[in-house]
Amino acid sequence: MTRRTGYDTVKRLLDVVAASLLLVVTLPLQLVVALIVRTRLGRPVLFSQQRPGRDGEVFTLVKFRTMRPAGPGEDVRSDAERLTPAGARLRSLSLDELPTLLNVVRGDMSLVGPRPLLVDYLDRYTLRQARRHEVRPGITGLAQVSGRNALSWDDRLQLDVEYVDRCSLWLDLAILVRTVSAVAGRRGIAERGSATMSEFTGSGAPHA
């Protein structure tokens, strides 16, 4: 299991300082986004979901809501049917991620690390892919700046493990710089043919 005490300590300190500053600086913008979500999608404004963090420990991720709930008796089969135009716009600009800074301050996440995926996926990873949980999950990561949701699941998870093996403050800084470019260019927001990304069903034997 990967543990780099000095790096972890400095990274945690930088995460807390940077995320706290970003929460304050973006507060007016977050209020505007909250008003848009309240007006276009109704309540609740925030979306919360259980996600696995470091060592698979489950925490509650918070984001701005971008999808409408399924109506009573409504057979909704894909995210495309629930993703609203306003929600798609917020996703394309990554504005839905702003409340996730609270997860960074709380220590659930880091600014940089493998994206936290669904709890249901935990049993579907190979042993190598499961190494993505050796570090705190991040708002952005190596996979996000290398193609994001346009990558195949195997490529995405391979990059997550590569990050675990190579993580350093310099790599984190490089990923943050590349994130600005990726968000500005709105690249890899969704998988081809999907409004978001397809379900991860596994890459083979879970313990291979």
Side-chain angles (χ1 to χ4, degrees), residues 2-18 54 104-105 107 109-110 134-136 163 167-169 172:
T2 303
R3 287 288 187 272
R4 302 172 177 84
T5 305
Y7 163 72
D8 286 347
T9 301
V10 174
K11 179 174 182 174
R12 178 71 190 129
L13 177 63
L14 293 176
D15 277 341
V16 171
V17 172
R54 189 172 195 170
V104 177
V105 174
M109 295 177 60
S110 173
E134 291 181 11
V135 298
R136 281 191 179 88
Y163 173 79
C167 59
S168 68
L169 293 178
D172 290 344

Side-chain angles (χ1 to χ4, degrees), residues 19 21 44 66 81 94 133 136 166 169-170 201:
L21 287 174
T66 57
E81 297 176 71
S94 297
H133 295 293
R136 281 191 179 88
R166 295 175 50 206
L169 293 178
W170 284 112
T201 57

Side-chain angles (χ1 to χ4, degrees), residues 117 120-126 129 152-154 157 198-208:
L117 300 173
D120 289 347
Y121 293 177
L122 283 174
D123 293 335
R124 303 176 188 177
Y125 299 125
T126 64
Q129 290 168 345
S152 69
W153 273 112
D154 283 347
L157 296 174
S198 62
E199 180 181 354
F200 174 63
T201 57
S203 301
H207 302 296

Side-chain angles (χ1 to χ4, degrees), residues 15-26:
D15 277 341
V16 171
V17 172
S20 298
L21 287 174
L22 285 171
L23 277 172
V24 173
V25 170
T26 62

Side-chain angles (χ1 to χ4, degrees), residues 135-154:
V135 298
R136 281 191 179 88
I139 294 178
T140 184
L142 187 58
Q144 280 61 51
V145 298
S146 303
R148 205 172 171 182
N149 292 336
L151 297 172
S152 69
W153 273 112
D154 283 347

